[in-house]
Amino acid sequence: MNTQTTRKDWVSDQEVRWCPGCGDYSVLMAMQMMLVTAGATPENTVFVSGIGCSSRFPYYMNTYGVHSIHGRAPAFATGLAISRPDLDVWVITGDGDALSIGGNHFIHALRRNINIKILLFNNQIYGLTKGQYSPTTEIGHITKSSPYGSLDAPFNPVSLALGAQGSFVARTHDMDRQHMIDMFKRAWLHKGAAMVEIYQNCNIYNDGAFEKITAKDARADNLIPLEHKKPIIFGKEKELGVILDAADGNVTGGPSVNLRIAKVQDVGQDKILVHDETREDSSLAFALSRLSRGVFEPTPIGVFRDVSTPEYGAQVADQLDGVKAKKGTGTLKQLLRSGPTWTVD
Ligand code: SF4
C-alpha cells in the first residue's frame, strides 16, 4: 500500500481557533510535516487530548481524535494503546493538564511504559482560563491568581518524566520547526512511552516566557544541544561545555551527580561530558535536566534519555496469550464467578 501522504492529508476542515501568534500553530505545522516524512497514515493515527488551549489539537488533525477529560488523556490513551497496538497514539496536553489535574496519570503512563507519545505544551500559564499560574510558572511571577507573585516551586517536566523512569524524554521549543520535527520523529519511532516537552509561547498571557533562551540572537549562548555520543558544547564559538564536577561527580550510581558549565579552553576538550542518551541509569540525564534554574540561563534541549525497556501493552498481550494457552478462553460471566463468591440472603 502506498503510504505517501502530503501535508494536506493531515489538515482537517476545522477552523483553527488559537489566538493569532500562538506558539501552538508552529507545533501543529511541525507535527503535520513530520507525519508526512515519517510515512505515517491518518487512518492509523489518533490524537487524544485533555483540556486546555493545546487540547484543541485533535480537531485540527485529519485523523482519529478524542478531546477527553481534564488531565485524563493518558488514561484514555492507555486503553487505546493496549487494545489497538497497531495505532500510533499521541497525547496532547499542557502544563496544567498534565502536571496538576492529570499529574498522576502522567507519571504512571511513563512508569508503565505505555506505547503512547506525550507532547507536553509548556507555556507556564493556564491560557484557556485566562492567565492563572500553573505548575511550571516561575516563582515570583505575577498572574491573575498570584497578584503578589507565585510562591510555588515549579515542576521541571523533564525532571519529573525522568524521575518516573520515562524511557524516552526530550525537550524542544516552538521557535525551531526542524528541531520539533526531529524530536517528534524520534518519539514516533520509540517503542514505549515518549514524553516531549515543548516550550510554547502564549503570547496573550505569558508572552516571551522563553525568549531569553529561544530568541534567535540568544539561542547559541543559551540553548545547550544534546546530541548522542557528542560532547555537550554550546556558545557562539562553541567555547562553553558541560563537565562533571570532579568534587562531587559520580556517574557510577552514587548519590551525587554534579554538572556545571565551564569554558572549554580552561578545562580542555577531554573533560567535556559526552552525551549518552542510552544510559540505563537516568541520574546523569536527571542532572542535565537540573543544569539550569529556569528558562533564563543555559538550558539543555534535545533527547535526554532513550532506552529500551519492556512495553506495557506487549506485556499485557503476552500475559493474556499465556492465560489463554493454559486455561482456554472464557466468558465474562465465568470470570466474574471464577473466584470466591458470596450469596447474600
Ligand atoms: Fe495560545 Fe495563549 Fe491564546 Fe491559549 S491563550 S491560544 S496558549 S496564545
Side-chain angles (χ1 to χ4, degrees):
M1 192 174 84
N2 180 15
T3 57
Q4 189 56 53
T5 60
T6 66
R7 195 174 83 78
K8 271 189 177 169
D9 295 314
W10 296 92
V11 177
S12 79
D13 60 1
Q14 298 294 299
E15 181 194 349
V16 182
R17 291 194 187 163
W18 290 313
C19 307
C22 176
D24 290 357
Y25 287 94
S26 59
V27 183
L28 180 67
M29 171 74 84
M31 173 57 74
Q32 290 166 339
M33 291 172 73
M34 185 284 286
L35 290 167
V36 171
T37 59
T41 51
E43 62 271 24
N44 287 315
T45 305
V46 188
F47 285 89
V48 184
S49 66
I51 297 295
C53 293
S54 60
S55 289
R56 294 193 60 76
F57 201 94
Y59 294 111
Y60 309 139
M61 294 296 300
N62 187 29
T63 64
Y64 291 102
V66 185
H67 189 183
S68 76
I69 304 170
H70 214 344
R72 275 53 178 167
F76 276 77
T78 293
L80 188 57
I82 291 173
S83 58
R84 289 291 306 272
D86 54 316
L87 300 178
D88 294 331
V89 182
W90 295 84
V91 168
I92 303 295
T93 184
D95 39 305
D97 189 60
L99 305 179
S100 181
I101 299 93
N104 259 320
H105 294 294
F106 177 76
I107 57 175
H108 292 292
L110 294 170
R111 171 178 71 85
R112 289 178 173 142
N113 202 30
I114 313 286
N115 193 25
I116 58 177
K117 319 302 161 203
I118 303 172
L119 296 191
L120 197 164
F121 292 52
N122 180 10
N123 55 21
Q124 301 192 160
I125 203 81
Y126 281 97
L128 189 72
T129 49
K130 305 197 185 309
Q132 298 81 11
Y133 71 95
S134 85
T136 56
T137 301
E138 290 164 39
I139 290 177
H141 196 65
I142 292 174
T143 71
K144 287 182 179 169
S145 57
S146 57
Y148 302 113
S150 171
L151 298 173
D152 293 14
F155 264 140
N156 174 327
V158 167
S159 298
L160 188 65
L162 289 167
Q165 289 300 296
S167 57
F168 181 95
V169 180
R171 176 186 286 145
T172 186
H173 69 96
D174 64 6
M175 297 291 284
D176 187 339
R177 183 179 298 159
Q178 189 56 52
H179 194 265
M180 281 192 285
I181 290 173
D182 293 345
M183 294 301 105
F184 299 168
K185 177 98 175 273
R186 291 284 307 274
W188 184 76
L189 289 168
H190 181 73
K191 288 271 168 271
M195 195 292 291
V196 182
E197 178 190 17
I198 307 160
Y199 287 155
Q200 176 250 318
N201 193 43
C202 169
N203 53 310
I204 300 298
Y205 296 111
N206 201 13
D207 194 23
F210 306 102
E211 74 181 359
K212 285 196 172 68
I213 62 167
T214 61
K216 261 199 176 128
D217 56 353
R219 283 181 210 168
D221 289 329
N222 289 294
L223 289 180
I224 306 175
L226 299 177
E227 294 176 86
H228 187 48
K229 297 286 183 201
K230 290 195 179 164
I232 306 175
I233 52 172
F234 67 104
K236 284 190 188 72
E237 310 293 332
K238 303 282 179 220
E239 72 280 17
L240 296 166
V242 174
I243 64 167
L244 260 174
D245 195 317
D248 299 317
N250 180 0
V251 288
T252 58
S256 171
V257 177
N258 224 25
L259 301 180
R260 69 180 170 88
I261 292 166
K263 285 187 179 163
V264 177
Q265 71 170 22
D266 289 350
V267 296
Q269 184 76 32
D270 292 350
K271 283 275 186 289
I272 303 300
L273 188 66
V274 174
H275 185 47
D276 182 357
E277 60 194 30
T278 61
R279 272 178 67 90
E280 195 60 41
D281 174 13
S282 59
S283 56
L284 204 50
F286 187 82
L288 278 169
S289 77
R290 312 301 294 175
L291 192 60
S292 63
R293 290 165 301 150
V295 286
F296 44 82
E297 59 183 23
T299 302
I301 64 159
V303 177
F304 287 74
R305 187 170 198 237
D306 183 3
V307 296
S308 178
T309 55
E311 188 269 303
Y312 192 80
Q315 289 183 300
V316 169
D318 285 350
Q319 192 176 56
L320 288 177
D321 285 347
V323 171
K324 275 185 209 160
K326 210 165 145 192
K327 300 191 171 181
T329 53
T331 64
L332 181 61
K333 190 174 177 186
Q334 286 170 325
L335 176 67
L336 291 174
R337 294 179 178 277
S338 61
T341 57
W342 294 266
T343 303
V344 180
D345 294 324

